[in-house]
Every structure is written in structure tokens, then in C-alpha cells.
Amino acid sequence: DRSAGEKPEAGPLTWGRPSWFSRWAAEHKACREACVLIDMSFMSKFRVQGPDAGAVLDRLVTSRVGAVPAGVITYTQMLSERGTLEADLTVTKLPDGAGGAAGGFMVVATDTAHRHVEALLQRGIEREAPKGFAVVTDVTGAYAQINLQGPKSRQLLSALTSCDVSDSAFPFRSACYIDIGCARLLATRITYVGELGFELFVPVEAAAHVYETIVSTAEAGDHGLVHAGLKALGSLRMEKGYRDYGHDMDNLDTLLEAGLGFTADFEKPGGFVGMEPTLAQKASGGPTRRLVQVALEDPQPLMYHGEVIYRDGVIVGDVRAASYGHTLGCAVGLAMVDRGTAEPLPARWVSSGTWEVDVAGKRYPARASLRPMFDPKNEKIKS
């Protein structure tokens, strides 16, 4: 809190609750109850354009993105030929105002997969459109990304722009160009924290101006804006069970094992890379291991990564990533579990049995779920 003159101190290293735990909790709570601003400019951003851009992307990603209307954002995956995960993405078919048909698509991926995704797109274009035309441009440095998330985010955005951002005009998974101050920018209604929210892609030359306009407008109104960092982002997304490629899933996992089968459109013309092995796994009854959400019953212990998981006294996996769910009131993580047989792992196996997690040598009772423990029906997101 710079206004109070406090110097930020990390405090002593600990496996328990750090000295800044309450500040982390306050940022988390602000997102669930009001509105937070998160700087996500580090995210990898690519523009894919050309007459064959839609057709190429339809082959490269699991979802149908080429034929959707302009102004639609799609959460999707890229797979290898063997059906394992290669990239976790959003693909936005840019809305009118981006140069007509040549406006193309915006592909956004995590920063740690920047060059990997760029290479997948470039090689995919070379392979899938050898006689056609499509190009990929790295525009990461061209846009700042400012996220406004929380139940009051629409209220704040309405005060910032002359555009209609009501639910009917700006529904979930849509994108449009809006004005903020003297800037024109791309806004998408999407979330990585499980709340009503918007991601703003701002030309870098206008980033400081837009940021200052947001802050001054928030201060002048009853919007409850709080700046939040990546620790809060991690705990918010973990409560919702949102995946993070490279942390809780990687290129050894299949689409179905990661619980992302809903992103696949098996009926789209031409299919997609990795569709055949995905269909084969589906036809066999499903995967033999699955990524599940795990939460401790005791509110005190923390989980980080690698904690061993037991079901009915038998080791079945370990925690791949975890955080503290300040809304759930306990440590929560994502874990790949396997019952050690060649038979498909059914949902009822996850919802039954006695679950425990070994934290620092002590087993704590836990619960496991294939559905998000926070807002499983997505009511907050679509409000």
C-alpha cells in the first residue's frame, strides 16, 4: 500500500502461512466480491491472417473457430499427432472493425509457451496450407493486456466507455472494439478466475493512458477496484479448476485425461490434428487416469506441488499444482490420479472412496471432484 507508506516485505521463508497471507486473501476476496485489475501483458499474442487462416486454425485446434461469427472467442487446445496436449489457447475471431475479412484471428497463449506456440502455428500453416495463404505475426509486444475481473467489472467498464457492455450486447465469449479515454482497444468477455470479467488488449502507446483512466474512474465511483497479482490469480483459478499448461498438464497428457474433451469438435470438416487417437481413447471407454480437483477438509495446511494422494489408503497420484482457496476456505489443487489398472477410470470412482493428501508427512482428509468446486454451473461467469 504505497499511499500508507508501507514497504513491501516478503518476510521469512516458510511452508506455512507467509507474512503477506492476509494481503493475498484481500486481493482474492476483492475479485470475488468487487473488481480487480490484473496486468497480464506478458501473455503471448499472435495474429493469424489470410484467406486460409480460418481453415488452417480449424485443423490445428480442437474446436471449430473458422466458421464462428466475427467477435467470438473460443477456448481450445492444440494436440500432437498422438493426441497429447501441445498448447492451451484462446482464439478470437476478430470483430468487425479489424479490416474486414483480413482482420483474421487473435491467438493468446501462456507466456512460457511463447516460442512453442509460434512454431506450432508457423509449421501448421506450412503443412496445412502449402498452396494457400495464411500468415502468423507475433504481436505480443504490440498490446498491453489489462484484465478487469469481478462482479463489479461491468459496472466499472460501463463508466469507462461509451459502448454498450450489458449482458445482452456483450455476452460471455464475445469480443468487440471499445473506447476508453482517447484510446480504441479490443475487449473480450472471458475469465481465468471464475468471475464476470473482461480482458482489454490495449495498443502499447495508449497503455499508460488507459490504465490511468481506469484507476481515476474507479476512484471517483463505487467500484471497489483493487490491484491483484499473480498469487491471487493462481488461487482464484485453482478454486475454479482452470488448467495451466506446463504446470498441471503437459505434453504427456491427453485431451480426455486433462478433462478438456468439451473443447473438441469431432464433427467439423477435416477434423483436427490428434483427433484419431482422441476418438480411439473415447471409444475404449475413456482414459485410465484423470486430472481431478482436490481440496483438504482441514483449513490450516497448505499445498504447493508434489503432495502424495491416497484413496482408500492406496497411493493413486500426486498434486501437480495447488494454492489456497480463500473462498473455499482450504488448500485446493489439481492432481492426476490413476487407480493402477488398464480399465477406464469412471467418474463414480472419483466421487467415492476415502481421500487423503500427505502434507509434510501427515495425511489429511480430502475430497476430490471432476467438476469445479467453485461455481460449477458457471452462474457467476455468465451473470
Side-chain angles (χ1 to χ4, degrees), residues 126-335:
E126 294 170 1
R127 182 180 66 250
E128 303 297 339
K131 297 181 180 180
F133 183 73
V135 295
V136 57
T137 306
D138 182 355
V139 295
T140 301
Y143 296 97
Q145 183 179 334
I146 300 174
N147 290 6
L148 298 178
Q149 299 285 328
K152 290 189 176 182
S153 59
R154 181 188 290 122
Q155 173 186 313
L156 175 55
L157 192 60
S158 296
L160 287 164
T161 182
S162 63
C163 300
D164 185 358
V165 294
S166 64
D167 185 56
S168 57
F170 199 177
F172 180 59
R173 288 187 53 225
S174 62
C176 65
Y177 287 95
I178 67 171
D179 60 274
I180 293 181
C182 298
R184 182 172 180 270
L185 54 95
L186 176 68
T188 61
R189 184 178 163 188
I190 199 72
T191 183
Y192 190 52
V193 298
E195 296 287 342
L196 167 68
F198 305 86
E199 297 183 352
L200 310 178
F201 295 88
V202 187
V204 291
E205 62 272 16
H209 165 66
V210 169
Y211 168 76
E212 291 166 357
T213 302
I214 292 171
V215 172
S216 61
T217 301
E219 290 176 345
D222 181 25
H223 305 295
L225 182 68
V226 170
H227 288 67
L230 297 187
K231 194 68 176 178
L233 179 77
S235 57
L236 290 159
R237 72 101 175 172
M238 196 60 70
E239 287 189 325
K240 188 64 176 166
Y242 285 151
R243 279 52 169 160
D244 186 0
Y245 186 84
H247 289 270
D248 24 72
M249 60 182 188
D250 57 32
N251 60 0
L252 297 178
D253 304 322
T254 69
L255 192 70
L256 302 183
E257 289 170 348
L260 298 173
F262 67 89
T263 68
D265 184 344
F266 298 111
E267 304 299 324
K268 63 179 176 178
F272 55 85
V273 175
M275 186 174 80
E276 289 74 17
T278 304
L279 283 171
Q281 188 175 61
K282 186 178 181 181
S284 70
T288 59
R289 60 182 195 142
R290 303 181 78 163
L291 193 65
V292 302
Q293 196 174 21
V294 178
L296 299 183
E297 299 289 1
D298 188 325
Q300 291 304 313
L302 303 185
M303 295 192 297
Y304 293 91
H305 171 92
E307 291 85 358
V308 175
I309 296 177
Y310 294 81
R311 181 185 181 276
D312 293 342
V314 178
I315 294 176
V316 294
D318 61 89
V319 174
R320 288 191 169 183
S323 189
Y324 193 85
H326 298 279
T327 311
L328 296 176
C330 61
V332 60
L334 288 168

